[in-house]
Amino acid sequence: MRIDVVTVFPEYLAPLNLSLIGRAADRGLIDLAVHDLRTWTHDVHRTVDDSPAGGGAGMIMRPEPWGEAFDALVEPATPPHLLVPSPAGVRFDQSMARDLATQRHLMFACGRYEGIDQRVLDEARQTMTVTEVSLGDYVLFGGEVAVLAIVEAVTRLIPGVLGNAESLAEESHNDGLLEAPGYTKPAVWRDRPVPDVLLSGHHAKIARWRRDQALLRTAQFRPDMLAGLPDEALSKADRAV
Ligand SMILES: Nc1cc(-c2ccc3cc[nH]c3c2)n[nH]1
């Protein structure tokens, strides 16, 4: 997968060079490039914003630098999926992460100020899929934080990036449920024991206990997820919990 990120704060995306994502890039599993939007400005002040047409507070990002950036980064024969973080976007979730992880080329446009001139997205829609995407119903200063989260959620699903693919199978939101609580050594910590079943070595009982805990936690913290499960997702044993 190729991932391009365009931003006026390239240093904000530095964490993408760390840990598993950095290693995935080093191993060629992803081709990640962060671009400074000001590369495509031509005035001495490298201006990327201007006052809003029709008045109003704040500034809007000028279309010209974005248009030139996309012209430089987009190969017409294989256009990317353009993702534009926005409070008004489609809510990002694990299902979207799974879909994006199958795509060949993602490009992220990080807005700042009061956003990007609408004509940039309208123009981009002529040649590529454009999705405005929201992390949630709260307002950030710009799109960079959202891109960090989305890139992490997507790249960890790419085969080979996460060493132990097995952990993907048991994590929250993978099977429509929250994951069971986790424990490790010591067997007792500050008078709090690890649940006996986890030390029993009885794999079927351990699997059942974890499934029960996942169902109970989902019912407690995210009943909406439980309500959204298809009938066939719950076994007879699940329904007895
Ligand atoms: N979910 C969410 C996205 C954003 C966001 C995204 C881009 C920009 C550009 C200027 N302000 C922004 C805010 N806030 N909250």
Side-chain angles (χ1 to χ4, degrees):
M1 177 186 286
R2 176 181 166 184
I3 300 174
D4 287 296
V5 183
V6 184
T7 169
V8 290
F9 288 121
E11 62 276 20
Y12 222 112
L13 282 301
L16 294 180
N17 298 316
L18 302 175
S19 185
L20 288 175
I21 297 176
R23 278 218 299 274
D26 294 343
R27 290 162 54 206
L29 292 172
I30 57 174
D31 172 12
L32 174 66
V34 178
H35 310 275
D36 185 343
L37 178 68
R38 295 186 199 274
T39 305
W40 292 282
T41 61
H42 308 292
D43 62 302
V44 67
H45 298 297
R46 313 194 77 188
T47 310
V48 293
D49 64 314
D50 205 333
S51 51
M59 304 290 274
I60 300 289
M61 299 189 91
R62 296 171 51 233
E64 297 94 331
W66 286 105
E68 290 187 33
F70 293 171
D71 290 349
L73 296 174
V74 174
E75 294 169 18
T78 54
H81 184 166
L82 177 63
L83 293 153
V84 185
S86 161
V90 175
R91 177 71 65 90
F92 179 70
D93 63 9
Q94 193 67 13
S95 172
M96 187 185 288
R98 279 194 288 267
D99 176 58
L100 293 176
T102 66
Q103 299 187 22
R104 188 186 13 80
H105 184 190
L106 303 180
M107 184 161 71
F108 292 88
C110 298
R112 279 273 156 171
Y113 306 98
E114 299 305 313
I116 302 171
D117 187 302
Q118 181 60 40
R119 291 169 294 181
V120 172
L121 280 64
D122 298 342
E123 169 84 357
R125 284 195 171 94
Q126 301 301 308
T127 53
M128 52 191 126
T129 303
V130 179
T131 303
E132 293 184 69
V133 57
S134 167
L135 276 195
D137 291 341
Y138 46 84
V139 184
L140 301 166
F141 275 124
E144 287 78 8
V145 165
V147 170
L148 285 171
I150 294 167
V151 168
E152 180 164 318
V154 171
T155 54
R156 66 192 298 278
L157 298 177
I158 293 171
V161 172
L162 202 55
N164 176 4
E166 199 177 306
S167 57
L168 282 175
E170 297 165 358
E171 62 188 11
S172 289
H173 301 280
N174 179 62
D175 58 1
L177 297 175
L178 300 182
E179 63 190 315
Y183 298 84
T184 184
K185 302 181 187 64
V188 180
W189 177 71
R190 294 188 181 181
D191 297 331
R192 297 176 186 276
V194 169
D196 290 339
V197 66
L198 297 181
L199 305 177
S200 68
H202 195 300
H203 298 299
K205 286 183 179 177
I206 291 169
R208 185 65 255 166
W209 180 87
R210 283 177 170 155
R211 179 73 176 182
D212 291 353
Q213 290 297 311
L215 290 161
L216 291 168
R217 291 187 87 193
T218 308
Q220 180 181 4
F221 298 123
R222 288 294 303 275
D224 59 297
M225 288 173 64
L226 214 50
L229 283 178
D231 288 342
E232 61 271 17
L234 296 177
S235 68
K236 188 176 177 185
D238 291 342
R239 298 177 192 284
V241 175

